Amino acid sequence: MDLIPSILQAIGLFMATNIDDIIVLSLFFARGAGQRGTTARILAGQYLGFGGILAAAVLVALGAGVFLPPQAIPYFGLIPLFLGLWAAWRAWRAWRAADDDDDAKVAGKNVGVLTVAAVTFANGGDNIGVYVPVFLSVGPTAVVAYCIAFLALVAVLVVLAKFLATRRPIAEVLERWEDILFPLVLIGLGVFILVEGGAFGL
């Protein structure tokens, strides 16, 4: 019976700490539109990245701060920052080239598992900061219940992001502005993580 409150709390905690991922995932779906296996790669990347978040949170909660000191968490903001700058450079290069080759355009927008995982993990600094004190305040059984609930909700999050990205009005906006929105969101996300965590003395 104690598991039910833990699962309900896990759902609320997951929603509060991952609602921003819907925007990023929707942009990934827009970026990979028309590519075979996009959903599978995004799902795998999201699970890989979020699995890393959970592993880090559990390790820190168990006192394994040597593996991931709290001071290091903000610097994960460099990952989406660099990915965003890279995406912006590629978009600028494509714009300069004004290439009408549809195959080349699609090939340049392939969504990789590791890219999704890296962005997900980098965006999880706040998740780790929230999950650790929660894990420290509950027993091992509750931690397991939290983790199982979180992993189940990852699939729900991906499905919701795909739903939003495939609605015609939203899809049209994402398709039209994806080359600008995608790097801007990643760069903004990276800067926010760095500043919020006080990286580099910011």
Side-chain angles (χ1 to χ4, degrees):
M1 293 300 292
D2 291 339
L3 289 179
I4 295 178
S6 296
I7 292 174
L8 292 177
Q9 291 169 7
I11 293 174
L13 190 60
F14 184 89
M15 292 174 61
T17 55
N18 291 279
I19 192 70
D20 55 331
D21 283 351
I22 294 178
I23 298 174
V24 177
L25 289 173
S26 296
L27 286 171
F28 273 126
F29 276 111
R31 194 169 187 78
Q35 288 283 340
R36 178 177 296 181
T38 292
T39 301
R41 288 193 298 273
I42 291 176
L43 184 63
Q46 182 72 4
Y47 266 109
L48 185 61
F50 194 79
I53 291 171
L54 281 183
V58 171
L59 285 174
V60 174
L62 290 175
V66 64
F67 293 106
L68 188 67
Q71 298 86 350
I73 293 175
Y75 292 95
F76 283 111
L78 292 171
I79 297 175
L81 177 60
F82 286 139
L83 288 174
L85 291 172
W86 171 251
W89 180 77
R90 293 185 66 177
W92 177 79
R93 189 177 64 173
W95 175 77
R96 284 289 302 269
D99 189 356
D100 292 329
D101 186 349
D102 290 338
D103 291 336
K105 289 180 181 178
V106 171
K109 295 183 178 181
N110 193 28
V111 176
V113 173
L114 293 181
T115 299
V116 177
V119 171
T120 299
F121 186 77
N123 192 28
D126 58 336
N127 297 54
I128 296 172
V130 172
Y131 297 163
V132 168
V134 173
F135 289 171
L136 287 172
S137 65
V138 298
T141 303
V143 171
V144 172
Y146 269 87
C147 291
I148 292 174
F150 286 164
L151 292 174
L153 289 168
V154 166
V156 176
L157 188 70
V158 172
V159 169
L160 180 57
K162 183 177 182 179
F163 173 81
L164 292 175
T166 53
R167 298 308 93 188
R168 183 173 296 274
I170 299 175
E172 289 177 353
V173 171
L174 291 176
E175 183 178 358
R176 177 175 297 179
W177 298 103
E178 178 265 330
D179 283 335
I180 296 175
L181 290 174
F182 187 75
L184 280 180
V185 167
L186 292 186
I187 292 171
L189 180 62
V191 171
F192 175 79
I193 294 171
L194 290 169
V195 173
E196 186 72 11
F200 304 112
L202 299 174

